[in-house]
Amino acid sequence: YTTLFRSAVERKRLTRDDVNVDNETLLRNLRLYDGNDLRVAAILLFHNDPEEWVCLIAAYSYAGKSKTALQWFQNAIQRFPEHAILYVYGGDLCKRLGRIPEAFKHWDHALKLDSTLSAAKYSKGFCYEEMCEWQKAYETWMDIAEEDKRNGRIHEMQYPLKLAENCLKELEG
């Protein structure tokens, strides 16, 4: 941590004086290395709403800055260790960076926190398919479809059933 970061953590927020500097100084002080809206990112760093962090992580991810997004994810889970959707994003980022075992670790942790989190299951299923682990992918798609059915989401269950069918074709192939 930098001195600025450490003192802001102790105060549980950044002050206006902390961020009312030019972007170069803010980059140096917080060790952030990209973007024009660094003040916004720095303020979000101490925001108490984990969904704001999810948006920040997603923004970096969708901008093709997976490593930066992963750094924000790692900060976010320190602050919000029980927020399951963060771990889905972390898993997706790890997968994109080729860190597959770490990706599964994050997706599994998300499911440990919230066993109904379909986003984590979908991420796992697609990753299994990319690894040609058709049986595991099939089981994942069927799990999603069965949960959708139990919860009366008949329309939603069609997609994972179609994915499961594709896996069966690969297994029979």
Side-chain angles (χ1 to χ4, degrees), residues 10 19-20 34 36 52 64 91 93 103 109 116 131 154 171-172:
E10 290 168 3
V19 296
N20 197 17
D34 59 323
N36 293 326
E52 295 292 338
L93 289 165
H109 189 72
T116 66
M131 297 180 339
I154 304 304
L171 285 168
E172 294 168 354

Side-chain angles (χ1 to χ4, degrees), residues 24-76:
E24 298 247 347
T25 302
L26 191 58
L27 278 171
R28 247 187 342 271
N29 290 345
L30 291 176
R31 296 186 183 164
L32 300 173
Y33 297 104
D34 59 323
N36 293 326
D37 297 321
L38 295 173
R39 290 184 184 136
V40 174
I43 290 166
L44 286 175
L45 182 58
F46 298 99
H47 199 284
N48 288 323
D49 182 355
E51 291 301 319
E52 295 292 338
W53 288 65
V54 169
C55 291
L56 179 66
I57 293 163
Y60 276 115
S61 177
Y62 298 142
K65 300 182 182 293
S66 297
K67 289 181 181 179
T68 302
L70 188 60
Q71 290 170 343
W72 283 103
F73 160 72
Q74 290 164 340
N75 289 326

Side-chain angles (χ1 to χ4, degrees), residues 48-115:
N48 288 323
D49 182 355
E51 291 301 319
E52 295 292 338
W53 288 65
V54 169
C55 291
L56 179 66
I57 293 163
Y60 276 115
S61 177
Y62 298 142
K65 300 182 182 293
S66 297
K67 289 181 181 179
T68 302
L70 188 60
Q71 290 170 343
W72 283 103
F73 160 72
Q74 290 164 340
N75 289 326
I77 60 173
Q78 289 177 15
R79 187 166 173 103
F80 306 103
E82 302 299 314
H83 197 71
I85 196 70
L86 282 169
Y87 293 92
V88 176
Y89 278 89
D92 291 350
L93 289 165
C94 287
K95 178 184 171 286
R96 192 170 300 125
L97 293 168
R99 297 159 64 170
I100 304 303
E102 192 175 346
F104 277 99
K105 178 182 144 203
H106 291 309
W107 294 325
D108 288 339
H109 189 72
L111 290 167
K112 180 180 173 191
L113 293 171
D114 180 354
S115 63

